[in-house]
Structures are given as C-alpha cells and as structure tokens.
Amino acid sequence: MTHQAAIALGQTLRVLAVDSDESAAQVTPDVVLGSHTDIDALRRAAAGAQVLTFDHEHVPTELLEKLQAEGVNVAPPPQALIHAQDKLVMRRRLEALGAPVPRFAAVDDVDDLDDFARRVDAPLVLKTIRGGYDGRGVILTTDLPEAREAARRYLADGVPVLVEERVAMRRELTALVARSPFGQGAAWPVVETVQRDGICVEVLAPAPGLPDEVGAAAQELALRLAGELGVVGLLAVELFETAEGGLMVNELAMRPHNSGHWTMNGAVTSQFEQHLRAVLDYPLGDTSAIAPVTVMANVLGAPQTPAMSMDERLHHLFGRIPDARVHLYGKQERPGRKLGHVNVVGSDLAVVRERAGRAAHWLAHAQWTDGWDGHAD
C-alpha cells in the first residue's frame, strides 16, 4: 500500500523481504531477500536509497544505529523507534514527559509482582517488553497467582516482561499523526478501534460521540510526543478512553498502522502517502476527512478456508455492495490472519458500519451475515 502511494509521487521502493511471496515483495520489482536481523541484508536494502523506513518495529536497534553511523538516512531514527520497540523504555520516557500512562513496573523476579499488587488496587496485565503485537505477548490476568505463573514462564524462557494495572476504560482510541524532519506535524481525526481477542476488527472514523475537547487533547498529545521523541514519519498513539472520560496512552507505533487504513478512502491524504511525504521531508498533506463517517473492517481468515475462490467472493461482493473499497494483501488464507480490509464511507454510522462488517465477513467466510442468497428468486 505504501508502494501504491509511492508510484503517484514518482518514487520507487526497494523492499527487504524474507520470501519473494511476501505482500510488499509482490508489488515491486526491486526486492532484496534477507532477514531484518541481518546487517548485510539491511545494507543491501539501504544502498543508494534516499531513506530507509519500516512497516514493523522489529529491526534490532543496534543494527539501525550501525546503519545511521554509516550515513544511512533512517526514518524514524533508532533513537525514536526504540520507544515503539521496547515497552519499558516507552513507559519510562512517557512518564518522564508527563504523559498519562498506566502504573507499571519492570518484572525481574516473580516477587516483583507481589510488591506491585500491593501498590495497585486493580487487575494486572503482563506484557512482554519486546515483540508483542495483535494481542500476542499480552496477558490479562484474573488474579495474582495467575500473573505469577505467567511471569515465571516468561522469565524462565529469558523473555523480559513488565506489569501494568488494567485500566477501567470505555473504549480504545487511536490518534494518528505525522511529523517531518523539518518539524511540521499533521493529525487525522481521532478514531475508535474495536478489538476482539486482542486483534483490531474494526475502526470507526471519527470516533463516534467523542467530545471535541477530548479529541483535540488526543491530537495535541500525539503531536507533542512525536516532537519530544524525534519521530520522522507516522506515529500512532493507541489510547484508552478511561471510565472517567480521560485519556491514557497504551502503545506507540511508528509506521503505517491498521488504525489508519481508513484514510485510504476516507481522508484527503492517506497515511501511506503522508508517511512518504514525511520521511522525504515534503510538506505534509491535508488530513481532513472527506465524508462524515468511514468504517474500516479487517478481513480476518475464517476457521475453514471457503471453497469459493477469493476472486469469486469479490465478484459477489461488488454485486451486492458496489461502494465497498477492498484492499487485499496477497496473503495465503489461514484462521485469524489479516488478509485485507474493507473501507466504506457515508453519512450514517450504523449503515456504514453494517455494510463494512458484512463485506469483510463475506470476503473471509463466503457467507452473508444476514443469510442473503444472490441466486435466490
């Protein structure tokens, strides 16, 4: 999707991929095969490029620092990216900056959980410090013994963890912003993200019923953090809207983000084009929404892959919901995997949400949620 935006800007992408059938490698002729943990592969990918940027946070910090020392333009720079790679570093820095964060503690020994639980009158959340995403590496514990056992397993495997209080919240929000090396910033409308089993299934743009002052506060917080951390490119600040109506930072991402896929059809400038503008230090684009409502629904692989081909599913989908904007990722189907997403824009949230969800479910399962049969009389 970044490559689609690059074409319109007259740019070309070189992709570092482990296999030639990876999503990004399917759409560019310039592919370097190798691992993101291999410094030589990273050097080959960066050779002669204007900028090296990312679609995930898992490139080791020390390798990026080597590339930076060798003159490679790394964006976001490793000094910023570390805050999206290491949750403990992120929590400590945000706390020092006065950003609202859950109470937390590093866990070096299972007894650290006892000390934390005595200070925090709330359920505990255990998180791996590095590597977790889409619900992986996050355990919502029901009591202290469960938290101790989970920590014991992680620590025995040499996996560093931290513990946080579980926040009483109304819902999850994301404030997506961009920042250029020049220091220009831009913010999209704050969105609501709907999670199921730790995976985002739906994004509602803008977040329905969000008071203007809370939305503005979320945008201002995200822009301030982008500046303080030295971000170049996109910054997604995942937030809890607390039961009291306040905001608390959950996670950070410094790349095009699932919560921003709605911008491809619902905003003047998509997150993918904006990311390129930012890392190339172009003036940033207009982030205004082009419709009152946009809903993004993820296409998640069904428990059983349908016998009907995806091509035929698309045929039926467009026959029934012609305004659905489909973005498929070229991935093999498997249960729960993000295969793509559907955007629907309109003016009535309930109608748009139903159409987007129905389209995404059809593409994943080859079944209409309302039992509709296009061949019936």
Side-chain angles (χ1 to χ4, degrees):
M1 291 178 281
T2 304
H3 193 211
Q4 290 173 342
I7 292 168
L9 299 180
Q11 300 290 336
T12 58
L13 293 188
R14 177 181 301 137
V15 170
L16 174 63
V18 175
D19 297 303
S20 58
D21 64 351
E22 289 185 11
S23 297
Q26 294 176 28
V27 295
T28 177
D30 195 353
V31 180
V32 172
L33 294 180
S35 169
H36 62 271
T37 61
D38 180 348
I39 185 62
D40 290 328
L42 289 166
R43 285 179 175 133
R44 293 199 306 275
Q50 289 177 265
V51 61
L52 176 69
T53 191
F54 313 96
D55 69 349
H56 64 68
E57 290 94 355
H58 307 310
V59 183
T61 311
E62 60 273 15
L63 300 188
L64 295 177
E65 290 172 340
K66 284 184 180 179
L67 294 175
Q68 192 177 50
E70 294 168 5
V72 175
N73 178 16
V74 180
Q79 299 87 346
L81 189 63
I82 184 66
H83 299 94
Q85 296 175 316
D86 188 304
K87 293 181 178 64
L88 186 58
V89 170
M90 179 265 290
R91 282 281 179 260
R92 287 171 172 165
R93 182 69 187 282
L94 294 190
E95 185 178 56
L97 291 172
V101 295
R103 289 172 289 179
F104 68 95
V107 178
D108 299 314
D109 184 273
V110 291
D111 291 338
D112 293 335
L113 291 169
D114 297 47
D115 297 335
F116 186 74
R118 280 192 290 269
R119 294 188 285 111
V120 176
D121 184 20
L124 304 182
V125 180
L126 204 68
K127 293 183 176 182
T128 57
I129 289 175
R130 283 180 173 258
Y133 69 100
D134 278 352
R136 300 176 182 87
V138 177
I139 298 179
L140 307 178
T141 64
T142 56
D143 53 33
L144 182 58
E146 182 183 3
R148 285 178 61 90
E149 176 57 24
R152 185 196 63 76
R153 292 195 305 269
Y154 277 126
L155 294 173
D157 291 337
V159 178
V161 293
L162 61 81
V163 62
E164 296 180 351
E165 64 175 323
R166 191 189 303 184
V167 176
M169 64 174 179
R170 294 177 180 173
R171 56 181 171 174
E172 296 187 53
L173 306 171
T174 298
L176 182 66
V177 301
R179 181 177 180 273
S180 71
F182 182 73
Q184 184 187 10
W188 284 270
V190 176
V191 302
E192 178 179 347
T193 62
V194 179
Q195 317 290 321
R196 186 184 305 139
D197 298 326
I199 298 176
C200 177
V201 296
E202 190 179 42
V203 172
L204 314 178
L210 186 69
D212 290 344
E213 63 273 15
V214 178
Q219 292 174 315
E220 290 167 7
L221 173 62
L223 288 168
R224 178 169 75 87
L225 293 180
E228 295 278 8
L229 300 178
V231 173
V232 173
L234 293 184
L235 172 66
V237 181
E238 299 177 31
L239 299 156
F240 297 134
E241 184 183 11
T242 67
E244 296 78 26
L247 297 172
M248 195 165 287
V249 178
N250 179 29
E251 304 281 357
L252 301 179
M254 296 182 192
R255 52 174 168 78
H257 192 253
N258 194 208
S259 68
H261 287 353
W262 71 274
T263 64
M264 297 177 75
N265 305 109
V268 175
T269 307
S270 79
Q271 65 165 345
F272 298 99
E273 179 181 334
Q274 193 81 299
H275 185 67
L276 291 173
R277 288 196 191 205
V279 300
L280 294 168
D281 207 11
Y282 291 171
L284 300 181
D286 185 349
T287 51
S288 301
I290 61 173
V293 175
T294 303
V295 173
M296 187 283 299
N298 277 322
V299 179
L300 303 175
Q304 296 290 329
T305 300
M308 184 185 296
S309 70
M310 183 62 79
D311 180 68
E312 188 174 356
R313 280 175 259 169
L314 280 169
H315 181 99
H316 287 284
L317 171 64
F318 291 144
R320 187 180 186 193
I321 310 178
D323 55 315
R325 302 300 301 273
V326 177
H327 304 272
L328 296 175
Y329 307 157
K331 294 181 178 179
Q332 293 296 312
E333 296 183 59
R334 66 169 184 248
R337 191 181 200 186
K338 288 180 182 175
L339 306 175
H341 68 273
V342 177
N343 288 333
V344 177
V345 301
S347 57
D348 185 305
L349 175 60
V351 171
V352 172
R353 191 174 187 181
E354 180 183 52
R355 291 170 72 80
R358 182 167 290 162
H361 187 275
W362 166 259
L363 287 176
H365 298 262
Q367 296 173 347
W368 292 111
T369 53
D370 60 352
W372 186 77
D373 184 354
H375 296 293
D377 293 331

